[in-house]
Each structure stands twice: as structure tokens, then as C-alpha cells.
Amino acid sequence: MNLQDRNKVFIDRDKLYGLLDRQAPSDNELNEILNKALKLHGLNIEDVATLLCVNDSCQIEKIMHTAHLVKEEIYGKRLVLFAPIYTGNVCMNNCTYCSFRKDNHLIKRKILTMDEIEQETRALLRQGHKRVLLICGENNKNGTDYMCQAIRTTYAVRENLIKPNGSVIENYIRRINVELAPMEAHDFARLHEEKIGTYVCFQETYDPIEYKRFHPAGTPKADYEYRLTVMDRAQEGGINDVGIGALFGLTDYRFEVLGIMEHAKHLEDCYGCGPHTVSVPRLEPAVGAPDAQNVPHPVSDEDFKKLVAIIRIALPYTGMILSTRENSDMRNTLINYGISQISAGSKTNPGAYSEEESTGSQFELGDHREMEEVINSFIDEGYVPSFCTGCYRKGRVGEDFMDLAKPGLIKQYCLPNALFTFKEYLEDFAHEDTKAKGMAMIKQMIEQYDQKQLVPKIKENLDNIEKGGRDVYF
Ligand code: SAM
Ligand code: SF4
């Protein structure tokens, strides 16, 4: 662990733009990098810069193919599902791309009460969700005290199901991640005590000069360095699982990918473990947000797919998150090239799951499908929808998680745990046709599973779930 590098500004703008000033690779050079990627040790920043300069469609095809192989090898056919709960859309910042910005008078504002958070949680539990992301604008009224209370409220909700035979299934949220404005280490320690999973915060742009343009002076978010070093304070507060990301569309996407690489390296160098997840939000239209209506550096669909594939092979053990900002076609494509976690049935306006009355949403969604429809389409694509929270609840987080993941050991937990949670979903929430399709998929996955010694225990657990057992995991 390199103590003196903590809290250091690890982005050298000129160096990163300099790295992008290069020719596209020859086929031989490209093959060399992709062969290295197939060894699953990741790539260095020069390799990543070289891949980012590829524009030839055959070469892009090769990068995508490599990403597909890496994804299959490490994550197999699983996809973790979650939903956000927006607890408030009041914000003291003025980010030029977001509807929640304080100068936007076109949206209705609200901060949910604890009762309302409970109702939102119940609505998501009734859809079958087990993992939620609490998220909001930055405001004095929803600081750490409020968030701790919100976390406690969400974890405490029990939305019980009565089965046809009269038995009662206890249904509750098993993992809460949070996406909140940067805070101090002592605040993180409090969130840690409340047992959050991952702390997520996007740098928006890693370019310190452009950052100023999108985050006007006089607002807390204007402080680039405070945001850049937030994960160091999270670690200091005891949170080992952190999620990073950039908002694609603000600047040159290639610079942002290099920024993500530098951030991951900084965390690895200082804390022995890179980020748990990388998110790839792409700028969407948003009411009253000038830079969302006129995107400064639009990222084409082709470039977006390429950047996801490059991140996948550069940081093979880092989960990648895609939200409902993207449409169903893009989501179904990217699960093959890198995405391992995906939101489903999401709403970005506070209270939207449980109330008729509409408050302002943060941006326009690309995927409006209900959870079961999303699940059906993933089954059709051959992916097992997973609500697994096993690693986090068994303490397999941060460096411990990576120590298991890198030699491939985590895989023996992942597929079975995915199947257990999927089976729970099918038993408790799915319509008959989805259930039949899902059960066939589980059967097929067990037949193909290479850890044969675990199969009897897996079958025993699945039988147990059929009889009413819940929250079973390795
Ligand atoms: N307010 C906190 C913050 O900014 O750190 C919490 C997260 S904010 C509610 C969630 C994220 O949404 C932002 O970090 C930003 O990257 C993203 N976002 C904002 N406006 C967006 C837009 N128009 N399209 C897509 N993503 C957007
Ligand atoms: Fe507020 Fe976050 Fe939106 Fe910026 S991105 S205006 S900080 S909610």
C-alpha cells in the first residue's frame, strides 16, 4: 500500500491527451495487445490508448470478439439486476447537463420522507428486486443523517408474500448501494456502519479544464479535486467496494476511458484493489439542462460499443454497469461485450414506483420496459438474471474479492448463486410462461456446469427453494 499517494491528484491531463496522439496499430500490433488481454491480466494505459485509436471496422470487430471471450471466461452467462431509488431531486449544484440542477425551474421537486422511501422499496420488492441503489441530488436536507435513516428504512422493509398453500415468504432488500455526492471519511464510516454495499460516484469528466465548464463555480461540485479523491476518503471510512465512471458525451470519450484507467490504477496502487465497478453512463436528453440537449461530444453507438469492449478487456475483473439510459437493443448487445450489472424497470423521479403524481426525472430513459419483460429478453439472449448478494454478505469484498476472482475461484460461487436467486424470482414473481422458460434455463445451466462436484448441493438448494426456503447462497 502506497500511503503517500493517497488523496493525490492522479490525472495528468497533458499526458493523457499526449497518449492519444498516435497512429492506429498495425494488425500485428493489435493482435499482440489482444493476445495479452486474453491472458486476463488487464492492459496498461499505452495499450488502451492504442486500442482507442482503432477506427478500422475489421480491427474493431477483433476487439469486440476479444471482449466477448473475456466476458464469457470471467462472468459466464450471468447478469446482475438492480433498480435505483431516487430519494430526492433537490440539488444545490448546477451541473449543466442535469435536470436536477438548481436553476432548472421546469421540474417539480421532492425529497422523499421515510414513509415514502418505504413505499418505493415495497413497490420494487413486489417486482422481485433484491438490490437497490439509493441516489439523489446534493442538498443539506439529504445529507448523511438522512441517508443513514434512508438506508435503515430500506433494509427494514418486509413485503411478505402469501403463497397459495398459505406459507409466508419474507421478502426484503439484501443489498443497498449508494450513489451520492462526495463526502468526508467520517461520513463514509457512518454509511459503512449502516452496511452499504458499493459507494458509487462518477467523476463526470476527468478533464480538469472541461470540468469547470460543466460545474459552475460557487457550487460544492465545482471542486474537481474533492470529487477526484472521493474514493480515497471512502476507503479511509472503511468502504472497500467503490464504483467509478465518467459521463460519456461531455468530452472526448477516449480521454475519459484513460481517466478511468488512471483512477483504477490509483486505487490498485494505494489500496491493493481496483474499483468494484465501472459505470458507463452516456449523456441523455434532460429537461432544462443545456448540455444534455446539445451534447458537447456525442458518442456514436459504434464508439460506445467499442469503449465498453476496451474497458472490459483492460479491467477484466471489474464489474461493468449499464443503466436504462440505453435502449433495449444497446443493452442486449452490450451484455455480450462487457456489461455484468444492469438496472431494470427503473424510474429516475422520486416517488415514481409507488405514486401516481409525477415529480421531475433526471434525464430521459432509453428503456421503459417493466422488470419481467427485461428478464424475459435476457433469458432469450441466454443470460441468467441474477439477484445475488452472496459475496458481499459473506465478506468477499474489496481485496478479498479480487484475491478469489483473479485465479478464477469466484466463479464456483457465482453461477450457483445466480441460479438460486433466479429460481426465487421465478417461484415468487414470474408469470407461468416466464417461469417455464426460466426453469428450462436453470436445468440447462446445471447440465453444462463444469464444477460437477457441486451439482448435488446446487440441486438440493434449488429443491429447498421450491419448498419455500429463501436467501440461500454459497
Ligand atoms: N448528485 C450526485 C452526484 O452528482 O454525484 C449523485 C448522482 S446524480 C443523481 C447521478 C449521475 O447522473 C451523475 O453523476 C451524472 O453522471 C448522471 N447524469 C446527470 N445528468 C445526466 C444526463 N442528462 N444523462 C445521463 N446521465 C446524467
Ligand atoms: Fe445535482 Fe448530481 Fe444532477 Fe449535478 S448531477 S445537478 S450534483 S443531481
Side-chain angles (χ1 to χ4, degrees):
M1 194 179 298
N2 196 343
L3 290 175
Q4 86 242 30
D5 281 346
R6 290 174 165 202
N7 293 309
K8 200 178 112 181
V9 172
F10 47 84
I11 295 292
D12 178 340
R13 182 179 190 269
D14 293 343
K15 176 185 125 184
L16 297 190
Y17 278 116
L19 279 168
L20 292 170
D21 188 13
R22 64 177 62 205
Q23 304 282 324
S26 66
D27 283 346
N28 279 347
E29 284 163 343
L30 180 70
N31 289 343
E32 208 174 297
I33 295 173
L34 297 181
N35 284 335
K36 201 200 276 189
L38 286 173
K39 296 199 171 100
L40 309 180
H41 302 310
L43 296 176
N44 64 36
I45 199 157
E46 281 83 13
D47 292 337
V48 172
T50 303
L51 294 182
L52 288 166
C53 292
V54 168
N55 284 314
D56 172 78
S57 58
C58 292
Q59 291 198 327
I60 291 175
E61 192 62 35
K62 282 189 189 173
I63 298 173
M64 304 296 289
H65 180 63
T66 307
H68 179 67
L69 295 177
V70 170
K71 166 92 202 293
E72 292 268 299
E73 178 60 24
I74 295 179
Y75 301 87
K77 290 284 188 189
R78 294 172 292 110
L79 200 55
V80 171
L81 298 185
F82 72 96
I85 295 182
Y86 275 75
T87 62
N89 60 4
V90 180
C91 192
M92 65 214 287
N93 292 309
N94 232 340
C95 311
T96 55
Y97 45 80
C98 178
S99 281
F100 292 175
R101 62 201 295 265
K102 75 168 182 219
D103 286 352
N104 179 17
H105 301 297
L106 300 174
I107 64 164
K108 189 167 168 205
R109 308 279 177 163
K110 178 160 190 157
I111 294 178
L112 299 185
T113 63
M114 293 304 137
D115 281 349
E116 288 166 333
I117 290 175
E118 179 182 333
Q119 293 317 316
E120 291 290 272
T121 308
R122 287 190 187 285
L124 287 178
L125 284 168
R126 284 196 292 272
Q127 290 179 28
H129 278 291
K130 300 283 186 280
R131 305 169 59 109
V132 296
L133 175 75
L134 295 183
I135 179 168
C136 58
E138 181 172 6
N139 185 268
N140 293 332
K141 294 199 189 87
N142 51 12
T144 310
D145 284 345
Y146 172 93
M147 282 324 298
C148 286
Q149 227 190 328
I151 293 163
R152 248 173 276 149
T153 301
T154 307
Y155 271 137
V157 175
R158 293 293 176 275
E159 178 70 13
N160 292 343
L161 289 170
I162 315 284
K163 303 296 271 185
N165 66 2
S167 62
V168 177
I169 301 286
E170 208 179 46
N171 198 19
Y172 48 90
I173 294 298
R174 299 176 187 167
R175 175 169 175 136
I176 299 175
N177 297 332
V178 298
E179 184 173 341
L180 303 170
M183 59 191 92
E184 294 295 319
H186 59 83
D187 293 308
F188 281 117
R190 291 184 60 198
L191 296 183
H192 184 51
E193 262 174 44
E194 300 296 341
K195 300 202 172 6
I196 63 157
T198 310
Y199 169 72
V200 179
C201 185
F202 307 149
Q203 183 58 30
E204 319 298 13
T205 172
Y206 283 94
D207 181 330
I209 295 177
E210 291 293 297
Y211 186 93
K212 288 200 179 81
R213 186 153 85 77
F214 303 117
H215 305 103
T219 62
K221 196 157 166 179
D223 191 339
Y224 171 89
E225 284 187 24
Y226 191 67
R227 199 164 179 95
L228 194 68
T229 51
V230 64
M231 298 311 176
D232 299 78
R233 295 189 298 282
Q235 298 275 351
E236 212 180 312
I239 296 176
N240 305 123
D241 273 5
V242 296
I244 62 173
L247 182 55
F248 288 98
L250 293 180
T251 74
D252 181 342
Y253 74 89
R254 301 173 311 155
F255 181 89
E256 302 304 349
V257 173
L258 295 184
I260 287 170
M261 289 297 295
E262 290 288 69
H263 204 165
K265 184 169 185 311
H266 169 76
L267 294 172
E268 175 102 45
D269 288 349
C270 294
Y271 308 102
C273 174
H276 188 63
T277 55
V278 169
S279 296
V280 286
R282 191 162 54 151
L283 205 45
E284 294 297 325
V287 171
D291 278 321
Q293 278 145 7
N294 205 353
V295 176
H297 288 259
V299 182
S300 69
D301 284 354
E302 288 318 303
D303 284 340
F304 192 56
K305 289 176 200 165
K306 181 177 81 175
L307 79 86
V308 167
I310 292 174
I311 296 174
R312 171 41 61 238
I313 62 179
L315 301 172
Y317 295 98
T318 301
M320 284 187 76
I321 304 183
L322 193 68
S323 75
T324 50
R325 289 173 180 87
E326 299 298 332
N327 65 29
S328 54
D329 285 348
M330 182 58 83
R331 280 152 60 85
N332 285 1
T333 301
L334 289 183
I335 57 181
N336 294 302
Y337 299 107
I339 298 303
S340 55
Q341 297 188 24
I342 206 153
S343 51
S346 306
K347 306 259 193 309
T348 68
N349 31 347
Y353 299 116
S354 54
E355 285 169 20
E356 294 288 304
E357 188 197 11
S358 185
T359 56
S361 61
Q362 197 191 6
F363 44 78
E364 280 178 24
L365 296 181
D367 184 351
H368 298 270
R369 295 170 301 166
E370 295 293 325
M371 164 95 138
E372 188 163 354
E373 210 183 323
V374 175
I375 285 195
N376 260 293
S377 85
F378 291 150
I379 301 174
D380 293 341
E381 296 287 325
Y383 281 86
V384 180
S386 170
F387 300 89
C388 178
T389 53
C391 282
Y392 146 81
R393 288 159 79 215
K394 289 253 183 178
R396 296 188 294 257
V397 296
E399 203 174 345
D400 293 343
F401 173 83
M402 289 300 171
D403 286 348
L404 283 166
K406 289 188 177 167
L409 295 172
I410 205 81
K411 272 203 319 195
Q412 62 188 327
Y413 303 114
C414 292
L415 184 73
N417 284 348
L419 295 180
F420 302 152
T421 56
F422 184 38
K423 168 97 168 160
E424 289 182 338
Y425 174 81
L426 295 173
E427 290 290 337
D428 294 341
F429 303 101
H431 289 96
E432 279 311 313
D433 46 349
T434 310
K435 185 169 173 181
K437 223 161 52 167
M439 292 299 194
M441 173 177 237
I442 291 176
K443 187 164 172 277
Q444 189 196 358
M445 288 289 162
I446 294 174
E447 278 163 13
Q448 292 168 356
Y449 189 47
D450 55 4
Q451 313 272 325
K452 294 290 173 218
Q453 77 286 2
L454 289 175
V455 169
K457 184 68 188 155
I458 295 173
K459 287 186 171 167
E460 188 187 318
N461 281 352
L462 290 169
D463 284 348
N464 176 11
I465 291 166
E466 197 158 321
K467 292 184 190 120
R470 290 291 176 272
D471 210 359
V472 178
Y473 49 92
F474 284 169

